[in-house]
Amino acid sequence: MRVKISILYSWLVKVTTFLLPNIPLFMRFRGFLYSLMMKSCGRNFQITSTAVLNSLSGLEVGNNVYIAHHTVVIGIDIRIGDEVIVGPNCIISSGNHTFLNNSYRYGKSLRRPVKIGAGSWIAGNCSVLGGSILPERSILGAGAVLNKKYEEADGLYGGIPAVFIKKMR
């Protein structure tokens, strides 16, 4: 029941703040409103008007997090560390579909946690899937699909599926 209420609340915040300009003051206000239903949220959470957050009750966000335009965050167990930037048009999802009776439509939903390490940057048009870990201070290159757990901090990851490319420091 709490998940359904958080989805309705998320919609209410989106509708009531949609016309506010995307400047830091209003993006922080929008983030504050979302934080009221989140599992936990740090200070200075900024989110644009066109981003979509669903299932707030399972979302944990650190300090100084920014989520850009048209990004969708959907899932029950998602942790975003401090000082993370999520670029435009990204998908962060902790759920996945399974196959049943020759179709993915009616298969049971498979949920796995997602963790985005502190200081990371997810570039535009990326997908982060259930069970993924992006290590601290890492970059997920534009258009990448992260579907694994990585441990190498300060790394550049990219591709479909995302692979470790090089050490950044």
Side-chain angles (χ1 to χ4, degrees):
M1 183 67 168
R2 180 163 167 79
V3 172
K4 290 179 183 177
I5 291 171
S6 75
I7 292 170
L8 287 173
Y9 178 78
S10 176
W11 173 83
L12 180 67
V13 170
K14 184 170 178 57
V15 168
T16 58
T17 65
F18 187 78
L19 294 177
L20 294 176
N22 289 310
I23 59 174
L25 173 69
F26 293 121
M27 288 189 299
R28 276 194 300 272
F29 175 65
R30 193 177 290 118
F32 166 75
L33 291 175
Y34 280 120
S35 75
L36 298 175
M37 287 291 286
M38 285 184 192
K39 189 172 184 180
S40 69
C41 185
R43 58 180 166 42
N44 194 26
F45 173 43
Q46 296 183 34
I47 182 166
T48 61
S49 61
T50 57
V52 176
L53 298 181
N54 279 340
S55 304
L56 296 171
S57 60
L59 181 59
E60 297 178 51
V61 175
N63 296 317
N64 304 310
V65 171
Y66 172 78
I67 297 179
H69 294 282
H70 305 289
T71 291
V72 177
V73 179
I74 183 168
I76 300 297
D77 189 6
I78 297 174
R79 290 181 290 163
I80 300 173
D82 294 340
E83 300 175 8
V84 169
I85 301 170
V86 180
N89 305 310
C90 292
I91 307 262
I92 301 172
S93 174
S94 66
N96 205 350
H97 300 279
T98 59
F99 198 72
L100 179 68
N101 297 333
N102 296 321
S103 171
Y104 285 99
R105 173 71 176 99
Y106 297 107
K108 184 178 178 180
S109 181
L110 179 66
R111 295 183 183 135
R112 296 183 306 185
V114 171
K115 182 180 178 210
I116 299 166
S120 294
W121 172 24
I122 299 174
N125 301 303
C126 289
S127 296
V128 179
L129 307 179
S132 300
I133 294 178
L134 182 64
E136 293 182 348
R137 302 174 308 278
S138 294
I139 298 173
L140 184 61
V145 176
L146 184 66
N147 64 349
K148 299 176 187 153
K149 297 177 183 179
Y150 286 103
E151 303 298 329
E152 185 75 31
D154 301 312
L156 172 62
Y157 299 88
I160 302 173
V163 295
F164 176 77
I165 296 173
K166 70 177 187 175
K167 189 89 166 157
M168 295 301 293
R169 292 183 183 204

